[in-house]
Amino acid sequence: FIAQGFAEAAPEMDNVELQEFFETNRQNYYISPSITFTHVFFDIDRHGSEGAERLAMQKLREFKEAATAFTDATKHGDRFPYLVNYVERTPDYVTSHFGDAMMRGLFNLQATDKEWHGPFQSSYGSHIVMVTKNVAGRNPDIEEVKARVMSDAEREAVRERTEAALTEIVDDYDVKLDFALSTKDAG
């Protein structure tokens, strides 16, 4: 407790130290890809596999002819177990709702608020989608994540200083172990 107090009282890191920490830990600041889309769903349990795909194809043609807007998706299809609109969701999140194959298909689409795509298959049924935002993953500049880097660097510095202080305290003591048992204890 005392050692941690001394460690936390240490001065802040300068920009050079902060940049070094950032470069060493760059992988921790990777910004995952994300996607924003809406979908119209046709339930495989309700329509069967072929029926759900056929309905999705019909709705896709209808949407393309009518230039149906993103906001109109909720008026069509069956109720999906999760969401209708997905805003800035990562591949892992999308996979958890639709499966890996559909996630890969969605992340390969160009973002536009004018075009519907599909049908895509999930374990739940068939989907048609409109992707309005598709952002690739990237490594940010330090300025974008500076507050987080500063917090992480300071926390790491405190941990290292605390550990060093504890090591110094422990090094000042000699520990002697006596393994000999007295006859009274042995009985």
Side-chain angles (χ1 to χ4, degrees):
F1 179 75
I2 293 169
Q4 185 175 354
F6 287 124
E8 289 174 349
E12 289 186 18
M13 300 179 86
D14 64 26
N15 284 336
V16 172
E17 292 172 315
L18 195 62
Q19 183 68 41
E20 287 174 4
F21 181 86
F22 175 69
E23 292 301 330
T24 302
N25 297 285
R26 186 176 278 275
Q27 73 282 358
N28 296 339
Y29 303 101
Y30 177 76
I31 298 173
S32 294
S34 66
I35 193 166
T36 298
F37 68 95
T38 190
H39 71 110
V40 175
F41 166 67
F42 298 93
D43 194 334
I44 199 171
D45 290 338
R46 184 172 176 196
H47 306 289
S49 180
E50 291 177 12
E53 188 167 359
R54 186 178 61 254
L55 287 169
M57 290 293 289
Q58 288 172 352
K59 190 58 72 173
L60 179 62
R61 281 191 297 277
E62 177 188 318
F63 277 16
K64 285 185 177 207
E65 289 172 11
T68 302
F70 182 96
T71 55
D72 291 334
T74 57
K75 301 173 189 171
H76 302 274
D78 298 323
R79 188 177 188 306
F80 188 60
Y82 299 110
L83 307 169
V84 173
N85 298 318
Y86 288 77
V87 178
E88 296 180 356
R89 297 302 181 172
T90 64
D92 288 343
Y93 189 92
V94 174
T95 297
S96 72
H97 288 203
F98 297 95
D100 190 60
M102 186 166 164
M103 177 277 297
R104 282 186 273 112
L106 293 178
F107 274 87
N108 283 324
L109 294 174
Q110 294 295 318
T112 174
D113 62 353
K114 307 234 184 290
E115 190 172 356
W116 287 89
H117 301 274
F120 291 94
Q121 305 306 315
S122 74
S123 60
Y124 300 103
S126 293
H127 310 257
I128 59 173
V129 300
M130 179 183 282
V131 175
T132 59
K133 189 175 181 184
N134 191 345
V135 179
R138 64 188 176 80
N139 287 310
D141 293 331
I142 191 171
E143 291 304 318
E144 286 181 77
V145 290
K146 192 168 189 171
R148 188 171 147 215
V149 173
M150 178 79 71
S151 175
D152 292 350
E154 288 174 353
R155 186 173 34 258
E156 179 65 16
V158 166
R159 187 194 63 75
E160 287 173 0
R161 286 185 223 124
T162 302
E163 194 172 290
L166 289 174
T167 299
E168 188 177 316
I169 292 168
V170 169
D171 287 347
D172 286 344
Y173 291 91
D174 289 327
V175 177
K176 294 180 184 178
L177 300 175
D178 186 7
F179 290 107
L181 293 174
S182 68
T183 55
K184 185 177 179 183
D185 292 336

